[in-house]
Amino acid sequence: MTALIETQGLTRVLPATVPVTLVRDVTLSIAEREFVAITGPSGSGKSSLLYLLGLLDRPTGGVFRLGGEDAEHLGEQASADLRLGMLGFVFQFHFLLPEFSVRENVEIPMRKLGRLGAEAMRDRSTELLERLGLAGHLDKRPDQLSGGQRQRVAIARALANDPPLVLADEPTGSLDSANSAQVFAIFDELVRERGKTVVAVTHDMDLAARAGRRIEMIDGKLAE
């Protein structure tokens, strides 16, 4: 399978009187259609690594290729364009905008990308939400939904621009066990049936076991 993510010696150091190394010398390859879980104790660097992979932070050393393109030295606009077209994000807290409806929240990435007209965006958001079991909630506000439903809206939003790669940072951290299992089942379906690549940071080892591969981090490095 083709590598979607490739890193060599990827490093992130926070400058300070005593510099803090968040990610240390990570060499990693993740193929298309893989479901990878990143685990490790708090402070191990797993979220910091995810933010580097998602172009939300910049490395201070190493090589990073995303979809075969050198990404470690991209300018702000090029990073934003690549992020918008190629990546979808799901976080522990859904970050839905409370003043917009469920459907309008899902349309936000499409509006930013600017490839679709209003009717096509509406059709796309409706299809995604219906696929995720939210057909009866399209015009509700986020505060009218349960925590599990809001996270499914966030997943629909992450998929709005049909990105090949979905990155998730503790996506079940605020959910109960039933909703957590549902979120990971959705990720598994995205990989198996939709051909997506999913990389999820999680502290839940039972959920991590559902991924196709598990990567453990300790002290900013990949565990042996």
Side-chain angles (χ1 to χ4, degrees), residues 11-223:
T11 297
R12 177 67 168 106
V13 179
L14 288 180
T17 304
V18 179
V20 178
T21 301
L22 302 177
V23 175
R24 187 191 307 271
D25 196 29
V26 168
T27 296
L28 177 65
S29 179
I30 297 175
E32 294 176 349
R33 304 178 68 101
E34 265 203 280
F35 182 5
V36 177
I38 302 177
T39 64
S42 296
S44 62
K46 53 190 186 295
S47 291
S48 297
L49 175 61
L50 195 78
Y51 292 167
L52 291 174
L53 300 182
L55 302 174
L56 297 174
D57 195 11
R58 290 179 176 275
T60 47
V63 174
F64 172 32
R65 295 187 183 91
L66 183 59
E69 181 175 352
D70 289 332
E72 70 269 22
H73 299 306
L74 289 176
E76 290 294 335
Q77 189 58 54
S79 290
D81 291 344
L82 190 59
R83 203 162 47 233
L84 194 57
M86 192 167 179
L87 303 169
F89 297 92
V90 183
F91 299 98
Q92 177 175 351
F93 302 103
H94 47 77
F95 297 120
L96 300 177
L97 297 181
E99 65 271 28
F100 294 127
S101 71
V102 164
R103 179 160 39 202
E104 288 168 339
N105 267 278
V106 175
E107 289 177 0
I108 289 171
M110 291 184 274
R111 293 184 185 280
K112 288 183 177 179
L113 190 60
R115 290 178 180 170
L116 301 177
E119 184 176 353
M121 286 191 293
R122 186 178 180 87
D123 289 346
R124 171 80 178 155
S125 61
T126 299
E127 176 196 358
L128 286 168
L129 290 163
E130 288 179 347
R131 191 191 305 165
L132 292 170
L134 295 165
H137 305 284
L138 305 183
D139 297 316
K140 291 182 179 178
R141 295 288 190 266
D143 63 3
Q144 296 176 287
L145 304 181
S146 69
Q149 289 170 330
R150 288 195 291 268
Q151 197 61 304
R152 277 184 278 153
V153 175
I155 293 172
R157 182 183 58 191
L159 297 172
N161 289 330
D162 198 24
L165 175 60
V166 175
L167 301 176
D169 188 19
E170 297 285 8
T172 63
S174 60
L175 302 179
D176 60 26
S177 58
N179 279 300
S180 295
Q182 185 177 37
V183 166
F184 264 67
I186 291 169
F187 288 159
D188 185 54
E189 179 185 350
L190 288 175
V191 174
R192 288 186 296 103
E193 299 185 13
R194 304 288 172 178
K196 304 297 183 186
T197 299
V198 175
V199 181
V201 163
T202 183
H203 66 276
D204 190 321
M205 299 306 294
D206 290 335
L207 292 177
R210 300 182 179 209
R213 176 159 61 116
R214 182 170 72 89
I215 296 169
E216 185 179 6
M217 292 194 71
I218 298 175
D219 296 331
K221 300 183 293 185
L222 298 186

